[in-house]
Amino acid sequence: DIQVTQSPSSLSASVGDRVTITCQASQDISNSLNWYQQKPGKAPNLLIYDGSNLETGVPARFSGSGSGTDFTFTISSLQPEDIATYYCQQFDNLPLTFGGGTKVEI
Amino acid sequence: QLQLQESGPGLVKPSETLSLTCTVSGGSFTSSSYYWGWIRQPPGKGLEWIGSIYYSGSTYYNPSLKSRLTISVDTSKNQFSLKLSSVTAADTAVYYCARLPGFYPTGAFDIWGQGTMVIVSS
């Protein structure tokens, strides 16, 4: 299985701050990585697919980059509504695997 | 607009079989452009992919669950189902169904059900 290590597990930032989350895959997965946002009591919501593509309707302050084994997710200016847990997910190989999550607080 | 809805018992006894159904409405279930999947999340923990199915019935299972898992499809009802046998407390989780666009059982889950909590307890 491909392991995906996400860091940090939690972070605290202020409104307007730039927030960065990283995911490292245990092997080269090209750009086969997605990012989701999950708010408490809700299902995950797809934000970024194929490493860097913004899902339709997702605000442009969210972005993703990287390829190979190292990936970065960025919120350019943190908003109060961005409080959530964020997950990366690799799809280069089955089984599909998720990172452990990053809880973002203000 | 496409919607997915999970249904099934919220409480299952240890050693019994957990059965859930996902009903797809507002869109095409038999499109060749989609796979359908199950994902679970234990309380306070992360996400785990359980398995995926194509409308034709082709299945893809997480090896960690494969010996206990059956995913099936009923195209006449626009539904796909999950059966997990010999459950233990470790199977307690919120279970989500989701859509997986594409021509392969990989990619991003773009539409999710609201999730259903299943507790394994006597």
Side-chain angles (χ1 to χ4, degrees):
Chain A
D1 298 5
I2 296 175
Q3 307 304 317
V4 186
T5 303
Q6 191 173 338
S7 61
S9 57
S10 65
L11 65 89
S12 181
S14 300
V15 173
D17 280 356
R18 184 180 185 87
V19 169
T20 299
I21 299 168
T22 64
C23 269
Q24 184 171 60
S26 58
Q27 65 187 66
D28 188 336
I29 61 170
S30 184
N31 66 336
S32 302
L33 191 97
N34 307 312
W35 292 93
Y36 299 86
Q37 175 192 66
Q38 186 179 32
K39 295 185 178 180
K42 300 294 187 182
N45 181 45
L46 177 65
L47 300 180
I48 303 287
Y49 64 94
D50 293 351
S52 61
N53 294 308
L54 196 66
E55 177 74 344
T56 302
V58 174
R61 64 180 180 273
F62 297 102
S63 65
S65 64
S67 66
T69 61
D70 296 309
F71 299 84
T72 300
F73 172 81
T74 301
I75 307 173
S76 61
S77 177
L78 186 67
Q79 300 302 304
E81 61 266 32
D82 300 337
I83 300 312
T85 300
Y86 294 83
Y87 293 93
C88 57
Q89 174 237 325
Q90 71 80 22
F91 61 94
D92 186 70
N93 267 331
L94 295 180
L96 305 177
T97 49
F98 292 85
T102 297
K103 186 174 184 179
V104 175
E105 299 174 313
I106 291 187
Chain B
Q1 184 169 344
L2 190 84
Q3 293 186 327
L4 289 77
Q5 178 69 57
E6 305 90 350
S7 59
L11 180 64
V12 181
K13 290 182 168 54
S15 80
E16 296 190 344
T17 296
L18 181 161
S19 297
L20 296 174
T21 295
C22 182
T23 299
V24 179
S25 61
S28 176
F29 178 67
T30 56
S31 168
S32 60
S33 303
Y34 304 113
Y35 283 77
W36 307 90
W38 288 100
I39 303 100
R40 71 180 182 179
Q41 184 172 37
K45 296 188 177 180
L47 300 162
E48 179 183 30
W49 174 71
I50 299 170
S52 296
I53 191 165
Y54 195 53
Y55 77 92
S56 64
S58 299
T59 53
Y60 307 84
Y61 295 159
N62 192 320
S64 68
L65 299 168
K66 187 174 182 178
S67 64
R68 301 191 290 130
L69 183 62
T70 302
I71 297 177
S72 59
V73 65
D74 185 339
T75 56
S76 67
K77 296 180 179 179
N78 281 6
Q79 294 178 336
F80 60 106
S81 299
L82 161 74
K83 290 186 185 298
L84 187 65
S85 64
S86 305
V87 297
T88 69
D91 295 309
T92 293
V94 175
Y95 286 76
Y96 297 100
C97 59
R99 188 178 78 169
L100 194 56
F103 299 100
Y104 304 96
T106 60
F109 294 101
D110 68 339
I111 299 176
W112 295 62
Q114 65 185 23
T116 187
M117 181 71 195
V118 178
I119 297 172
V120 178
S121 175
S122 56

